[in-house]
């Protein structure tokens, strides 16, 4: 689990419905903790083609709150 503002949580749920959201790092007490990467991946079909978009947030987290930058 991670903590975020309401808009971020809503967007992550939308991404999760048509793709996936994965934390590549450790968890402590069920919350993201320490160094890691939050990967948001969405696959969409348009005009007979499949498009995959990926956003990576790398950095650290503490007690479910992430700190880092997107790429």
């Amino acid at each position: 689990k991670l903590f975020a503002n309401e808009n971020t949580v809503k967007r992550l749920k939308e991404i999760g419905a048509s793709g996936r959201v994965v934390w590549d790092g450790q968890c402590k007490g069920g919350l993201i903790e320490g160094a890691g990467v939050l990967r948001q991946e969405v696959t969409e079909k348009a005009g007979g083609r499949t498009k995959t978009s990926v956003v990576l947030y790398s950095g650290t987290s503490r007690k479910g709150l992430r700190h880092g930058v997107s790429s």
Side-chain angles (χ1 to χ4, degrees), residues 10-50:
K10 181 180 175 183
R11 182 66 184 138
L12 289 173
K13 286 181 180 182
E14 290 171 355
I15 291 168
S18 62
R20 60 191 203 142
V21 178
V22 179
W23 171 251
D24 180 18
Q26 295 185 359
C27 293
K28 186 175 181 180
L31 301 172
I32 63 174
E33 182 73 28
V37 176
L38 181 68
R39 178 185 176 96
Q40 302 172 4
E41 182 177 313
V42 177
T43 302
E44 301 172 304
K45 292 186 179 184
R49 301 179 99 177
T50 301

